[in-house]
Amino acid sequence: MQQNRTDWRLQGDWIKNCNCAFGCPCDFNARPTQGWCKGMLGMRIEHGHFGEVRLDGLSFFVTVDFPGALHEGNGTIQPIIDERATPEQRDALFQIMSGKHSDEGTLFHIVSLIVTKVLDPVFAPIEVEFDMDERTARVSIPGVLETETQPIRNPVSGAPHRIQVVMPDGFEHIKAEIGSARIESTAGIRFSVPEGHSSLARVEHTPMGVAA
């Protein structure tokens, strides 16, 4: 355990959308579908804290750009923080995302190792809709990011197709519903994905890793 580490916990709705084909190759230790990764991930916090700072009800996301597989590094990210967050809450979220208060091999620690450039954060109003069972979600951050998740459709019948990814030792989530994502990113990392991968999960992140 690291010294001078602050205890924290984030529980809530997790969304990861990217340019890859359905079934994110990263979850299978495979290379990105097109050789590179552009996408977004983050969460709407239902219950959370960093030390004594409460984070309930806030949302944060990051847009990402990796020139190759994520484990090869050289990534660029831009944090997007709920504008309602107080200065103390903003600092708390940045402290969590820094990975300095997490064990090795956990999500935020890994991110700190593979990202080489962090763009200036955006503070903006964030609207989130999330229904894991229906495989639908939406994140709307006007002028910054618009993304939507819908069920994958059967190519013959058009019926909704359901598939889950379960990773008992996952560092991002344990179980996710897989959907189809549309992304329009228009801030520091600009890209458009008409149809890509989406993971929706209920998560509980802690300094020791994913608790649920």
Side-chain angles (χ1 to χ4, degrees):
M1 178 178 291
Q2 301 175 24
Q3 293 183 346
N4 302 319
R5 187 171 77 176
T6 300
D7 182 57
W8 60 272
R9 186 170 297 259
L10 299 176
Q11 179 182 359
D13 303 324
W14 184 264
I15 302 172
K16 177 182 70 177
N17 295 346
C18 68
N19 63 284
C20 283
F22 306 146
C24 174
C26 290
D27 291 344
F28 296 85
N29 288 331
R31 299 194 68 80
T33 303
Q34 297 160 321
W36 44 268
C37 174
K38 291 187 179 181
M40 56 76 67
L41 57 83
M43 69 185 299
R44 177 173 63 182
I45 304 167
E46 183 176 351
H47 302 293
H49 70 90
F50 178 79
E52 299 299 318
V53 179
R54 299 301 309 179
L55 300 169
D56 301 7
L58 297 176
S59 297
F60 72 93
F61 293 92
V62 296
T63 50
V64 306
D65 181 4
F66 284 84
L70 270 64
H71 69 268
E72 294 173 346
N74 297 317
T76 299
I77 67 171
Q78 182 168 43
I80 307 165
I81 306 294
D82 196 322
E83 69 173 6
R84 298 174 302 149
T86 65
E88 291 78 15
Q89 290 172 323
R90 293 179 183 188
D91 179 67
L93 289 170
F94 288 136
Q95 289 288 336
I96 292 172
M97 286 189 281
S98 75
K100 297 175 182 177
H101 303 272
S102 298
D103 285 354
E104 291 186 7
T106 57
L107 175 64
F108 294 107
H109 175 257
I110 291 172
V111 170
S112 74
L113 299 178
I114 61 177
V115 169
T116 55
K117 186 175 183 180
V118 180
L119 302 184
D120 290 340
V122 174
F123 302 100
I126 301 176
E127 182 180 346
V128 179
E129 299 174 7
F130 184 94
D131 189 326
M132 186 169 166
D133 291 336
E134 294 296 323
R135 285 95 72 209
T136 61
R138 185 174 72 93
V139 177
S140 177
I141 310 170
V144 179
L145 177 69
E146 301 287 339
T147 186
E148 181 181 17
T149 298
Q150 293 290 332
I152 299 168
R153 297 287 175 176
N154 182 294
V156 177
S157 68
H161 178 66
R162 187 176 189 185
I163 188 167
Q164 298 176 338
V165 169
V166 178
M167 295 183 286
D169 299 319
F171 60 79
E172 182 184 355
H173 53 69
I174 303 299
K175 181 180 76 172
E177 294 280 355
I178 305 304
S180 170
R182 176 186 61 81
I183 315 171
E184 295 291 336
S185 178
T186 54
I189 300 175
R190 302 174 68 89
F191 62 92
S192 178
V193 177
E195 184 178 64
H197 167 84
S198 178
S199 294
L200 303 180
R202 293 278 297 167
V203 300
E204 185 173 353
H205 285 286
T206 76
M208 288 73 70
V210 181

